[in-house]
Amino acid sequence: VHGTVPDINSPSGHTALSVAVYVMLAVLFASQIKSSLRVIPYIAASSLVSLIAISRVILKYHTVEEVLT
């Protein structure tokens, strides 16, 4: 049928891109910190990625399986 969207499960590109960008930034920032506070950029990156993944599911753009793949 013309104009219908096929029912295909595809991974969330938003989640994958956010993992790549935020983890890279966390590594860069953590390398500049010389104390036990080095873990903070990693916690911030993990929190941001988790919020993005959860928002994709809540807004019904993706299923949980698509976000986790």
Side-chain angles (χ1 to χ4, degrees):
V1 177
H2 244 310
T4 60
V5 177
D7 188 20
I8 299 173
N9 292 340
S10 59
S12 175
H14 289 91
T15 305
L17 183 62
S18 67
V19 167
V21 170
Y22 291 126
V23 168
M24 180 187 68
L25 289 173
V27 168
L28 290 173
F29 287 132
S31 68
Q32 301 300 315
I33 299 172
K34 297 179 179 166
S35 69
S36 62
L37 298 176
R38 183 173 275 186
V39 73
I40 291 175
Y42 296 110
I43 292 171
S46 299
S47 299
L48 285 170
V49 169
S50 297
L51 288 173
I52 290 169
I54 291 167
S55 73
R56 303 305 295 169
V57 174
I58 289 174
L59 294 173
K60 299 184 193 273
Y61 289 127
H62 293 284
T63 63
V64 173
E65 293 82 17
E66 293 169 346
V67 169
L68 294 177
T69 58

